[in-house]
Amino acid sequence: MTPLERYESLVDDPEAFRAACDRPLPSVVRVNTIKATVERVRAALDDEGIAHEPTDWHPGVLRLPEASPGRNWPHAHGWIHGQEEVSNLPALLLDPQPGDVVWDACAAPGSKTTQLAALMDDAGLLVGNDNNLGRLSALRHNAERLGVTNLVVTNRDARNFSLKPFGSDGDDPARIDAFDRVLVDAPCSCEGTIRKNPDAFDTWSLDHVHSVAGVQKGILRRAVQATRPGGVVVYSTCTFAPEENEAVLDYVLDAEDCRLVDVDAPLDGVPGVTEWAGEQFDPSVEKALRIYPHHNDTGGFFCAKVEVGG
């Protein structure tokens, strides 16, 4: 059984699902509102003769017919950033506000981190963390090109992330005791990226799915612990595996004081599954969102919104 066949029982149209996964992914860019408006970017693309059209769900997410959207001066100047269409969703669901204290727990290479900064109007504090030191260079490069100034970069295992370096154990009245919002775009088996990474299944194994699920549980649990009461955590992956999605939510709902809230998404999706491979999950995981490639002509994705108790 191939990875895609494994999930056919979860989709409404297996044939359309497989066909969409076999097609190349459309080229998409996000307008970086730290440096330019949507209108200014579209005028610049028109002047350069670069065809584009806004997606029907967000004016600042543009589809380009060319395969390399980074080969133009608006990209070089940080006005736009290549970012897969559905990848724009987690930061929008988190909805950070200017002045918030926000943690991106798995930040590199920085597409969602820099999007968070733009949504915050580059104000407040954004902590972009990744445990892979080599990938942090890409995060720093993207932040610099896109004009982000409210970002602090850290290199730690998110499962053991400490607030101490931010003054949480001192007497400074400006110290950080908790985050207002946290994004956990977790490392995963990347099944949903098959359209842009045709070799994604070459090294796929069920053992890896189970292994990475353990890491995801630790990261999401720490994210909930590090968020203030009433704060929000968005959990997302680019995989179809319930072991990495609903099972992770089920574990954290049982371990921490938090609850799932409805996801008001502008893209078509289906609810999370409450049963898989003989395992029952908390009924509230239905509030999560599964996005399949054939529903929006995007990659595959999973998103859930967690509200911390208190």
Side-chain angles (χ1 to χ4, degrees), residues 176-281:
I176 300 172
D177 294 314
F179 294 103
D180 297 308
R181 303 170 197 260
V182 177
L183 175 61
V184 178
D185 184 55
C188 68
S189 58
C190 300
E191 297 163 342
T193 68
I194 189 65
R195 297 185 66 182
K196 67 177 179 180
N197 299 315
D199 59 351
F201 292 157
D202 290 352
T203 58
W204 183 95
S205 72
L206 194 54
D207 284 343
H208 177 63
V209 169
H210 291 146
S211 174
V212 76
V215 175
Q216 294 159 348
K217 290 174 182 176
I219 296 174
L220 182 56
R221 186 173 184 183
R222 181 62 190 130
V224 171
Q225 293 169 348
T227 303
R228 64 169 175 79
V232 173
V233 178
V234 165
Y235 178 72
S236 63
T237 74
C238 53
T239 184
F240 307 118
E243 294 92 341
E244 302 180 55
N245 295 327
E246 289 89 350
V248 173
L249 295 176
D250 180 77
Y251 168 82
V252 174
L253 288 169
D254 183 62
E256 301 295 335
D257 182 13
C258 61
R259 66 185 185 95
L260 287 172
V261 295
D262 292 322
V263 172
D264 184 15
L267 288 169
D268 291 335
V270 298
V273 299
T274 58
E275 181 182 2
W276 174 254
E279 185 176 359
Q280 300 285 335
F281 305 131

Side-chain angles (χ1 to χ4, degrees), residues 289-302:
L289 183 73
R290 286 182 157 265
I291 296 178
Y292 293 110
H294 62 294
H295 288 160
N296 305 277
D297 195 19
T298 64
F301 226 74
F302 178 88

Side-chain angles (χ1 to χ4, degrees), residues 12-40:
D12 56 336
D13 188 337
E15 186 175 345
F17 171 60
R18 290 193 303 270
C21 289
D22 287 339
R23 292 195 300 269
L25 194 66
S27 180
V28 175
V29 298
R30 167 177 58 84
V31 174
N32 174 32
T33 54
I34 293 175
K35 284 195 170 184
T37 64
V38 173
E39 293 75 19
R40 194 177 183 190

Side-chain angles (χ1 to χ4, degrees), residues 120-138:
M120 297 167 70
D121 292 339
D122 201 28
L125 175 64
L126 174 59
V127 179
N129 176 75
D130 205 276
N131 71 336
N132 188 323
L133 184 60
R135 286 165 55 90
L136 285 178
S137 60

